[in-house]
Amino acid sequence: MKISKSIYMFFIPGFILYSIFFLYPTVSALFYSLTDWDGFSPSFQFVGLDNYSRAFTGDSIFLKTIGNNLKFMLVVVIFQTLVALAFALIVLKNTKTTIFLRALYFFPTILSSVSVAFIWSFIYDPSLGILNQLLELIGLGFLTQNWLGDANLAIYSLAITQVWFHAGQMLIIFVAGLQAIPQDLYEVAKIEGASKWQTFTKVTWPLLAPSATIVVAYTTIQSFKAFDLVFAMTRGGPNNSTEIIATYIYKVAFRSFQFGYASAISVIFMVIIAIITYLQFKALRSDRISY
Amino acid sequence: MKRKYSSVVLVLLSVLLILSGCAGESTSNNNSEGGSTTQINFMHWRGEDKAVLDGIIAEFEKANPDITVEMTIYPSDQYMATAQRMLQEGSTGDVFTSFPGAQFESLQKAGVFEDLSGEEFVSNFDENLITVGQKDGKQLALPYQLVFNMPIYNKGMFDELGLEVPKSWEEFQALCDTLLENGITPIAFPGADIGPNQFMNSMMMNNAPDEDIFAKLQSGEEKLTNEWWVKTLEDFQLLEQKGYIQKNALGTNQDSAMQMVASEEAAMLATGSYHMASLIGLNPDLQLDLLAPITVEESEAQYEGINTATFMLAVNSNSEKKEQAKKFIDFVSQPENAAKYANETGQHLTVKDVKYESEVLKNTAYWITDKTTRFQPRFLITNAQVEDAVLSSIEDVLGGAEPMDAAEAAQKIVDENRE
């Protein structure tokens, strides 16, 4: 069948949008990362790799943000994946109750991040918040914490909020993946006398690997880019303990007006995400099998 | 062939649709009488004052039928980031407002301020309160609001307990002890948001009376590890350790802290005069006044409080409607229009001869005339990363760090960011 060349014209609107909103900003960031541009002056100087060198040798806050981001990412990726998978296994069958539960678990995802931040800031409030009050009520008063005010705890409190916010979204991916696994394989496993755990590890998990890859990669990127939730709940405090790379880029660019330096951090940020995502893909791909 | 052309037309239409979404709007209109009107844009961050400003703008438009005013409001935390770009482009913010300090410096460097020196309306303002809007002898912006960034206290509660406003650090601690003995938290401190950046001002005002201290810090002449800042951090540590501020203060936001004062669980709110109207709104029976802790001996105290002349009105140098923009500033700086703004928003102003009618404003107006206050030190830090380092050291101490350790960590960041 001969395809008319005019069909390629349909790529143009998408390509224009992609170029305006992705390609151009990326190339601009690379360009400005080599300058000392302040974001508003018509002129700037080329500073070579000074901004990159500053990020790694002369900016202790930036190094701290990488550590914070890794902590945040680890907690979110592990818990969000596990929670989503556990709930997906619970609501796998299509009954009225499970369909309702799927909608219920998905509900936080449709909220705006500012609303979520507001709700959870209230939950975490040390004196008026319901979390501490609930712990007191059930006799676990010794577990009450200054959830967002303790520099050692705040990043994990934010991570829990992030898990609550997005686990429902990942649950849907897992449910779709689980439903695509042929039932025959479970029947064979049953006939062969496989235990529930063996069935999960030898049948379910390997065949779920493509969905898990998507979930883990998406969760990783999402946790690196969790700007709005973090900014609305703690603004990076106390004492920079919840400052992550995205919030730091914003502050450097729009509070300190160092767009050149902020661009350099953005490029580093992009490279970090690319490396981690590549490693995850590689690790999860090696788990994949087909029957 | 026909199909090929229709594909091309479809693609072009898509592109046109995308581009039309980005088109701007014209600002020249015709009024009902057929004459042309000029629309100016007023850009600021006071969303809570919109209704009052709408009323003032309606009056302005009545007095100047050839000018209309539209407002663009950004939340204050986004204003810093957004204003600069909008102003440079020139279509938004013919009249705009600026914060003093880092934003004023940065906008000034970007050249967006029209020089207002010599304009007749400058004389409507108290000359002592508008210096913060000057640079190199030019009046670039005119601060409109006068805020006192120091704790609000429950005057009724103090009277009931026979407490007087302390004049030294020792007296302040004795006052806090008495409040604690009566089951009252002395200070509600919103450490999760604005607490550190507001309370640091009054806590350091007499520890470092030199108004150039932060300029010296940024130039390397002073250090946060020197006596003035370590003593300030030690004072914060004392407040925390003795329970003068509520437990878990770093997790408390301003709404919760205000609630503590409104319910009389706490006696002082470590924010500023701008919260007085809201507190009265929460509990109309409260009698309020202002009180800054004196952290030195009475004889050594040079200042009694903190003021900030802010909401600095300016004209965009990139605007094509500068004359109309100046007419608007002239209008809002007339005492009768300023009084409307002051009384309806519950704020003191830098405009002369304003008649304050609300009880809270009348009762605290003596802070403008009778008290020795200094301009908010935090706004004299012109580098945002240095400011963050200073504030982080307070959070560090309230989180349990030793003052000297916190000061050293902050000084390291200051050194990394020295220009």
Side-chain angles (χ1 to χ4, degrees), chain B residues 227-388:
Chain B
E227 165 70 15
W228 62 279
W229 188 248
V230 176
K231 156 88 166 74
T232 303
L233 293 178
E234 283 168 355
D235 294 343
F236 268 107
Q237 187 184 42
L238 183 138
L239 295 180
E240 201 271 332
Q241 288 179 343
K242 289 200 167 184
Y244 295 159
I245 56 177
Q246 83 280 11
K247 204 181 154 207
N248 296 330
L250 285 178
T252 306
N253 61 32
Q254 54 181 317
D255 293 333
S256 301
M258 281 169 69
Q259 197 57 50
M260 287 175 73
V261 178
S263 63
E264 304 199 63
E265 186 190 327
M268 291 176 259
L269 176 66
T271 58
S273 58
Y274 48 88
H275 273 154
M276 291 174 109
S278 306
L279 281 176
I280 297 285
L282 289 170
N283 181 354
D285 297 332
L286 290 178
Q287 283 179 277
L288 303 171
D289 203 338
L290 300 162
L291 173 168
I294 306 296
T295 55
V296 293
E297 291 296 317
E298 187 179 352
S299 57
E300 293 169 24
Q302 293 187 29
Y303 298 104
E304 294 167 285
I306 300 289
N307 74 66
T308 305
T310 182
F311 203 63
M312 306 207 293
L313 296 165
V315 171
N316 187 351
S317 61
N318 296 315
S319 164
E320 289 170 1
K321 304 154 194 170
K322 294 189 188 82
E323 286 315 307
Q324 291 87 344
K326 285 176 186 172
K327 274 188 185 176
F328 183 67
I329 295 185
D330 185 11
F331 186 83
V332 297
S333 64
Q334 296 302 322
E336 62 278 14
N337 299 323
K340 181 179 165 67
Y341 180 79
N343 291 310
E344 291 184 23
T345 62
Q347 291 170 100
H348 291 112
L349 299 186
T350 55
V351 175
K352 290 189 287 193
D353 306 323
V354 172
K355 284 192 180 134
Y356 297 111
E357 284 160 12
S358 89
E359 280 306 306
V360 169
L361 290 179
K362 274 199 281 190
N363 291 343
T364 50
Y366 74 99
W367 277 94
I368 305 173
T369 51
D370 304 345
K371 293 284 188 180
T372 311
T373 58
R374 67 180 272 190
F375 181 70
Q376 184 180 168
R378 181 177 68 97
F379 273 144
L380 298 172
I381 309 175
T382 53
N383 180 317
Q385 280 161 312
V386 171
E387 181 186 336
D388 286 346

Side-chain angles (χ1 to χ4, degrees), chain A residues 107-121 158 161-162 164-166 225-233:
Chain A
F107 175 70
T109 311
I110 63 169
L111 297 174
S112 79
S113 39
V114 176
S115 308
V116 172
F118 182 80
I119 294 165
W120 278 86
S121 296
L158 287 176
T161 306
Q162 175 83 352
W164 179 86
F165 192 14
H166 292 293
K225 289 165 64 185
F227 172 85
D228 36 12
L229 199 65
V230 176
F231 197 75
M233 287 179 78

Side-chain angles (χ1 to χ4, degrees), chain A residues 8 26 77 85 104-105 119 131 144 155 168-169 212 214 230 253 281:
Chain A
Y8 294 111
T26 308
V77 169
L85 181 58
L104 190 71
Y105 296 151
I119 294 165
L131 182 55
T144 59
I155 193 79
Q169 206 177 349
I214 294 168
V230 176
F281 265 101

Side-chain angles (χ1 to χ4, degrees), chain B residues 127-168:
Chain B
E127 59 182 339
N128 297 317
L129 297 172
I130 58 173
T131 52
V132 69
Q134 295 167 357
K135 186 81 183 178
D136 303 328
K138 290 178 184 168
Q139 189 73 50
L140 300 181
L142 291 158
Y144 194 54
Q145 298 172 352
L146 184 63
V147 172
F148 296 100
N149 310 74
M150 50 203 266
I152 301 168
Y153 77 97
N154 184 334
K155 193 168 182 293
M157 182 190 281
F158 273 38
D159 291 343
E160 217 170 276
L161 296 171
L163 298 170
E164 288 191 358
V165 172
K167 291 180 181 143
S168 67

